[in-house]
Amino acid sequence: MSGLRKKRRLAFIRTAIWTAVLFIALQIGISLYVKLDTVYHFRLNYNMFLDNQQSIEVVIDEISNTIEKENLQDYIILVGNSVAWGTNEKSDHSLGKYINELSGEQVVFNLSAPSMQPGDIYTLLLMLDRKGIRTDNLVIGLSYSAFVERVNGPRAVFWLGDYLRELDSEAFGKARSQLVHNGYEYRTGWEYAETKYLHQALSLLPLYRYKDAIVSHYEEQKDGTDLLGDPRPWFEKKYTEKKLQDPQYLNFFNPKPFVMSEENWGVFFMNRIMEHQEGKKTLVFINSANGELSKKEIANPGYQDNLRKLESYFAETEAIYLNLQESIPSDMFTDHVHLTKEGNQKLAQLLWQAWNGEVN
Amino acid sequence: MLFNSVTFFIFLAAVVALYYAFPRLRMYVLAVANAAFYAYAGVGYFLLFAGIVAIVYAISKGLGGSRGKLALAGGLAVVLGNLFFFKYTIFLIENIERALGIEFDFAGTFLDDRMILLPIGISFYSFQLIAYLVDVYRKKLEPSRSLLEFWVFISLFAHSAAGPILRGNDFLPQLRRIENVSFIDRRFKLGIAFLLLGLTKKLVIVEFIAPYVNEYFGRAGTLTGGEAWTAAYLFAFQIYFDFSAYSEMAVGIGFLLGLKLDLNFKTPYLSANPNEFWRRWHITLSQWIRDYIFIPLGGSRVANWRIYCNLIAAMAISGLWHGAAWTFILWGVYHGVLSAGHRLYRRLLKGRKVEAWTATRVYKIGAVIVFFHLTVVGWVFFRADGMQEAMYMLKQMAAIHHIQLTEETKKLLLVVVALYGLHLAESFIVSRFGKFIQAWRIRVPFVVRGAVYTIIATVLLAYLFKGESSSFIYFQF
């Protein structure tokens, strides 16, 4: 090798090593930058989760790190849908914030997200198990609609189907056709293996793992708020008759008698959740609906019968059951089910009292 | 497998590693890699592709014999039959129905849903096979020595999906020396540079433009004149950056493997006339059309009116090659008319005083601006979903005195200006590439170079990890 070529090759190697060093340093920097508050502030960053459901792994990881770092022993996990997450309010006015205020030193981690179904909650519990996060203290928030017959959706596992497939193949196998029928992309063969293993391998690279977290955090900082929806109380908004006749709205209160067997996906996954929670403290609450706006739907005898069926179902489990219907004044609602800041405060109080056995 | 996907880069790294680890097995490494690359898109289409290649190889053995003409006809029938079946069956049926005012009933047949999925790269490999058959028949090319060699030549993963269209005389000799290819770091770096250039064009520029183009062309029938011009300009840059990105990545892959693949683009929007444009745009296709259509039709050795007709016919075929739709044919005819018109214009100027003026810089700049706009007009046919939409857009674009710009179109037109600036910058950098590289290596400390490489790698990876990658436009042809 000529002297010039040797010199060039050495320069090439030196630059390549330096580039590799900088790249690794950058990866370490990214890892150090992302903390729990990057992806979570009394609730997970929903825009991040919406863009990429795999980003929930980062939230769970960071919760696990916090538990370990702060040596937390007696924490509570809260899992539910948009009411527990706090749609129409910002995180500082959400259930997660207020329940943490009431619980004092007992930290409550809120892993709720809009549209979460019992199937997602069950899957989430399995994901927490995998990460070593205990669910000895668990609060589950559901809506009446979680038990309504799913003719055309929503999926029984709305967000976390891929994880259920991985963590409980039997349950997934039973739910698969319902999920596929409602838009779940069931990958097989090479396509499945590629998606799964590529994600696992790339997750070792912080740039990949935290890409959504950093982008969403930046966007949230730029927007200056994490508000999703309109926080005004419902009576300040226009609710036309047409809106109240919307099939999606009506299905939310569907009075058709609940089938309380495993044919009902709500029951199917609740059974698994209850099995999982055997011997652990669990509170299940059914969100209140707006007693004024949805008076007609709530007064329906079918609706009331179904609520009684749910009460009977949960009475046979170890869980503390809380039906919040008529417990929250209608002026604390932003729509038919979501709550204002005051509504979230009230909900937190009710839950905390029930958790401590003050109300049952 | 998309070049702009993580899977592809893992695949490429594995191929390159095996390629240099086992020099004697390189042909086998490439043969398997090509098969895997194609089968990734669909095993059925891979089997079809492999079958066509094997049949053409077998037929080509008879090209030099006493029944050479028959073998050529047989080979062309197989290749064109395959292409016509997949690409033009539905188009043909629909046009017969329209002409006769009838509707065929295909219920219960494979044409039930009136759709035949197009195998990836079918147009490209068909043209490559035709060139091979014709060249061997004309004794301009020594036939391939083995099916393995022929398979690697036709199916090389770097170009099988969307070109460049390789010629046997350029590529087969390279394959015959493949065991002797040594690792040269300068060539390897050049390969990486081409890959990164293509990836940047695709991930950063095309992904930025594409949503606007899709949105505007999605409502082509309601666009204002300003919006129609904006959409056409943006598409002009989308298709250029998209296709040149793919082609440059193909060239880059070639360099990584020590193989030379032809460049398909040379900053085409700096062309002053149609001739120049086709020497800068999709170069390997233009050369193919010239050698296998225009010249056999008589080329430039016939009467002028025949030359004009040949130009239009050749370009119409080029249009039809792109897609089975009248809009593509019209796009081809339009470019044929531009080529014929320019030829006539040059003829009229010849010997006149004004001819000298055409060599001035001012004329050249004016011609580039005019021809760029003529190209942009042509892209409307290429991109519009149907003839009606294309005609509507052109009508809106023609009413220049009515054109009004919204805040969005003003911003997007600034983007267009910036993209043209990038195009100019590309031309400037490419023409002085050697000097830039030398200055970069000698004058810039390795600490800074490393930092720049890290930033580039991070940005491109971030884009690559962003989510679903969009396909390259030319994959659909």
Side-chain angles (χ1 to χ4, degrees):
Chain A
M1 197 185 285
S2 72
L4 185 64
R5 270 188 76 185
K6 199 173 172 185
K7 210 174 152 188
R8 276 182 181 168
R9 181 156 289 190
L10 277 175
F12 173 65
I13 293 168
R14 192 173 55 175
T15 311
I17 292 172
W18 173 237
T19 306
V21 167
L22 283 180
F23 190 76
I24 292 166
L26 188 70
Q27 302 312 304
I28 295 168
I30 292 170
S31 297
L32 293 174
Y33 173 78
V34 176
K35 298 202 168 61
L36 183 59
D37 60 7
T38 316
V39 289
Y40 176 95
H41 184 66
F42 299 120
R43 64 190 187 190
L44 59 79
N45 182 326
Y46 179 62
N47 285 328
M48 172 187 77
F49 180 64
L50 186 65
D51 282 347
N52 181 6
Q53 284 83 63
Q54 289 169 335
S55 62
I56 200 166
E57 290 176 26
V58 178
V59 182
I60 293 173
D61 276 358
E62 293 306 319
I63 287 177
S64 168
N65 291 342
T66 305
I67 290 168
E68 200 178 330
K69 212 180 332 173
E70 296 179 15
N71 195 23
L72 300 176
Q73 298 296 328
D74 196 24
Y75 51 87
I76 299 172
I77 301 290
L78 166 63
V79 201
N81 58 18
S82 53
V83 175
W85 182 79
T87 291
N88 289 346
E89 265 301 353
K90 49 190 181 183
S91 57
D92 280 330
H93 297 163
S94 69
L95 175 64
K97 162 80 186 299
Y98 296 124
I99 204 159
N100 266 290
E101 278 179 2
L102 292 168
S103 64
E105 286 188 3
Q106 193 178 18
V107 180
V108 181
F109 293 107
N110 184 2
L111 279 165
S112 308
S115 301
M116 271 211 177
Q117 305 295 317
D120 293 293
I121 294 171
Y122 172 61
T123 309
L124 204 45
L125 297 183
L126 300 179
M127 291 171 80
L128 295 176
D129 288 347
R130 185 168 66 173
K131 204 65 204 171
I133 298 174
R134 295 195 319 269
T135 53
D136 297 350
N137 299 309
L138 179 70
V139 178
I140 296 174
L142 293 172
S143 289
Y144 168 94
S145 62
F147 298 91
V148 167
E149 188 187 343
R150 291 155 201 264
V151 180
N152 287 312
R155 288 193 294 272
V157 190
F158 193 81
W159 298 111
L160 305 173
D162 284 340
Y163 292 103
L164 180 66
R165 182 179 183 180
E166 202 181 317
L167 295 167
D168 187 344
S169 55
E170 197 190 330
F172 177 81
K174 288 181 178 162
R176 196 179 97 191
S177 61
Q178 197 275 343
L179 303 188
V180 172
H181 183 69
N182 290 291
Y184 171 75
E185 197 181 342
Y186 181 66
R187 297 186 179 95
T188 54
W190 169 256
E191 199 191 354
Y192 175 64
E194 183 190 349
T195 313
K196 184 179 166 185
Y197 296 117
L198 202 59
H199 170 67
Q200 282 178 3
L202 290 175
S203 291
L204 299 172
L205 192 68
L207 180 63
Y208 173 84
R209 188 165 184 75
Y210 299 123
K211 62 186 191 307
D212 301 299
I214 293 170
V215 171
S216 301
H217 183 63
Y218 168 74
E219 280 171 359
E220 207 172 86
Q221 298 291 310
K222 199 177 73 179
D223 294 344
T225 179
D226 60 359
L227 175 69
L228 183 80
D230 183 347
R232 288 177 301 155
W234 67 277
F235 48 82
E236 288 181 21
K237 302 173 189 171
K238 274 187 185 167
Y239 276 92
T240 59
E241 196 51 38
K242 192 181 165 196
K243 206 167 178 179
L244 297 175
Q245 291 304 318
D246 179 74
Q248 207 181 341
Y249 168 80
L250 290 176
N251 198 47
F252 190 88
F253 299 97
N254 194 333
K256 194 175 166 188
F258 285 168
V259 178
M260 296 307 288
S261 70
E262 290 210 343
E263 275 175 48
N264 181 328
W265 290 111
V267 174
F268 177 87
F269 282 110
M270 275 317 299
N271 285 349
R272 271 141 193 84
I273 291 170
M274 288 304 137
E275 272 172 38
H276 181 273
Q277 288 304 105
E278 260 179 28
K280 299 172 185 172
K281 187 174 180 183
T282 306
L283 184 151
V284 179
F285 69 95
I286 297 287
N287 302 322
S288 167
N290 186 333
E292 191 60 39
L293 178 68
S294 307
K295 195 191 286 178
K296 199 171 104 191
E297 289 74 24
I298 294 168
N300 189 306
Y303 180 85
Q304 293 297 332
D305 278 350
N306 283 335
L307 283 180
R308 279 190 285 277
K309 281 186 182 178
L310 289 180
E311 197 147 351
S312 309
Y313 170 80
F314 284 107
E316 291 185 14
T317 66
E318 291 177 18
I320 306 163
Y321 175 67
L322 193 60
N323 174 12
L324 291 169
Q325 195 56 55
E326 290 168 31
S327 305
I328 298 177
S330 66
D331 60 357
M332 291 185 179
F333 284 82
T334 58
D335 55 25
H336 60 293
V337 68
H338 300 110
L339 303 170
T340 59
K341 173 189 171 187
E342 293 75 21
N344 284 322
Q345 265 172 324
K346 176 79 180 166
L347 174 60
Q349 282 165 8
L350 292 168
L351 291 179
W352 193 241
Q353 283 168 357
W355 182 257
N356 291 307
E358 293 164 27
V359 176
N360 202 347
Chain B
M1 202 183 299
L2 295 174
F3 281 5
N4 51 333
S5 67
V6 177
T7 306
F8 175 74
F9 279 93
I10 293 170
F11 167 82
L12 180 63
V15 172
V16 171
L18 290 170
Y19 183 85
Y20 284 105
F22 305 104
R24 290 195 170 185
L25 300 176
R26 280 175 182 166
M27 288 298 278
Y28 295 99
V29 168
L30 290 184
V32 173
N34 298 342
F37 181 84
Y38 206 87
Y40 182 88
V43 175
Y45 288 132
F46 158 67
L47 293 174
L48 174 81
F49 181 29
I52 295 286
V53 170
I55 292 168
V56 170
Y57 176 73
I59 290 174
S60 72
K61 288 289 165 195
L63 287 169
S66 57
R67 296 189 173 179
K69 209 171 216 172
L70 189 66
L72 177 66
L76 292 178
V78 169
V79 176
L80 290 173
N82 179 50
L83 179 65
F84 272 88
F85 173 76
F86 282 100
K87 197 158 180 172
Y88 302 106
T89 304
I90 301 294
F91 179 63
L92 197 65
I93 289 169
E94 284 175 354
N95 279 285
I96 290 171
E97 285 179 338
R98 207 170 300 147
L100 302 178
I102 55 168
E103 195 172 321
F104 297 119
D105 181 13
F106 294 114
T109 71
F110 71 97
L111 290 173
D112 202 353
D113 56 359
R114 291 182 170 248
M115 212 173 78
I116 299 176
L117 279 179
L118 198 63
I120 286 178
I122 188 168
S123 307
F124 289 92
Y125 75 65
S126 296
F127 269 27
Q128 201 160 289
L129 288 168
I130 291 169
Y132 174 81
L133 286 166
V134 173
D135 287 353
V136 172
Y137 173 73
R138 288 175 179 168
K139 302 202 185 331
K140 284 184 177 174
L141 172 69
E142 188 195 328
S144 205
R145 290 172 190 170
S146 67
L147 181 58
L148 176 72
E149 183 186 87
F150 190 58
W151 168 249
V152 173
F153 162 47
I154 300 294
S155 69
L156 186 73
F157 69 89
H159 77 100
S160 64
I165 300 168
L166 299 182
R167 300 292 185 87
N169 273 327
D170 295 330
F171 202 66
L172 285 171
Q174 295 192 58
L175 292 182
R176 286 166 194 161
R177 294 192 300 267
I178 202 164
E179 287 181 18
N180 303 323
V181 169
S182 55
F183 181 89
I184 299 173
D185 54 2
R186 279 179 75 184
R187 188 174 58 204
F188 200 81
K189 280 193 277 184
L190 200 57
I192 299 280
F194 268 105
L195 271 175
L196 293 182
L197 176 65
L199 205 58
T200 307
K201 282 181 171 181
K202 177 68 180 167
L203 295 177
V204 182
I205 301 173
V206 175
E207 299 295 346
F208 171 74
I209 305 172
Y212 295 104
V213 174
N214 294 340
E215 199 256 311
Y216 280 125
F217 276 93
R219 54 179 182 90
T222 62
L223 293 179
T224 64
E227 288 172 333
W229 272 108
T230 307
Y233 281 133
L234 285 175
F235 180 66
F237 285 105
Q238 185 197 2
I239 193 165
Y240 166 67
F241 282 113
D242 189 277
F243 197 14
S244 68
Y246 172 86
S247 301
E248 277 147 14
M249 290 179 85
V251 170
I253 294 162
F255 278 127
L256 294 186
L257 300 173
L259 302 169
K260 189 179 168 295
L261 271 64
D262 296 320
L263 264 175
N264 245 342
F265 294 90
K266 289 178 183 166
T267 46
Y269 294 142
L270 302 182
S271 308
N273 58 60
N275 285 350
E276 192 183 351
F277 180 76
W278 293 110
R279 287 197 304 272
R280 287 166 169 265
W281 178 275
H282 203 174
I283 299 164
T284 56
L285 175 70
S286 307
Q287 288 169 343
W288 194 99
I289 296 283
R290 180 195 65 200
D291 294 347
Y292 300 99
I293 297 176
F294 182 66
I295 292 175
L297 284 173
S300 305
R301 290 158 300 163
V302 289
N304 270 318
W305 69 269
R306 284 250 337 250
I307 297 175
Y308 302 146
C309 290
N310 291 346
L311 279 170
I312 294 169
M315 291 311 296
I317 291 171
S318 167
L320 185 63
W321 173 87
H322 280 86
W326 285 104
T327 45
F328 286 114
I329 297 171
L330 208 60
W331 173 78
V333 170
Y334 172 78
H335 272 283
V337 170
L338 286 184
S339 294
H342 180 253
R343 195 178 172 90
L344 178 67
Y345 169 71
R346 295 297 307 183
R347 227 180 117 232
L348 292 173
L349 286 186
K350 203 168 184 184
R352 293 175 196 271
K353 277 184 185 171
V354 285
E355 195 186 10
W357 187 63
T358 61
T360 63
R361 186 177 274 265
V362 176
Y363 177 86
K364 168 90 177 162
I365 292 171
V368 167
I369 293 169
V370 170
F371 190 71
F372 171 65
H373 283 84
L374 290 172
T375 313
V376 168
V377 168
W379 288 129
V380 173
F381 293 115
F382 196 93
R383 176 58 178 82
D385 290 333
M387 196 65 91
Q388 215 176 339
E389 285 86 351
M391 297 316 287
Y392 176 83
M393 277 182 74
L394 291 173
K395 203 175 125 196
Q396 293 295 91
M397 288 162 76
I400 291 179
H401 54 288
H402 286 313
I403 283 177
Q404 284 181 331
L405 299 175
T406 61
E407 280 307 308
E408 185 179 74
T409 49
K410 278 180 195 165
K411 277 182 196 159
L412 289 174
L413 287 175
L414 282 178
V415 170
V416 169
V417 172
L419 291 170
Y420 201 87
L422 270 182
H423 202 61
L424 286 167
E426 187 182 352
S427 168
F428 181 78
I429 292 168
V430 167
S431 62
R432 293 161 183 79
F433 194 64
K435 281 184 188 171
F436 278 119
I437 288 291
Q438 211 173 0
W440 171 252
R441 214 179 47 226
I442 295 167
R443 293 191 188 169
V444 180
F446 84 96
V447 179
V448 178
R449 274 184 283 144
V452 172
Y453 295 146
T454 306
I455 292 167
I456 292 172
T458 305
V459 171
L460 288 181
L461 281 173
Y463 273 101
L464 208 57
F465 294 154
K466 217 170 167 184
E468 298 274 309
S469 329
S470 70
S471 181
F472 287 94
I473 293 174
Y474 264 70
F475 272 32
Q476 63 184 293
F477 306 135

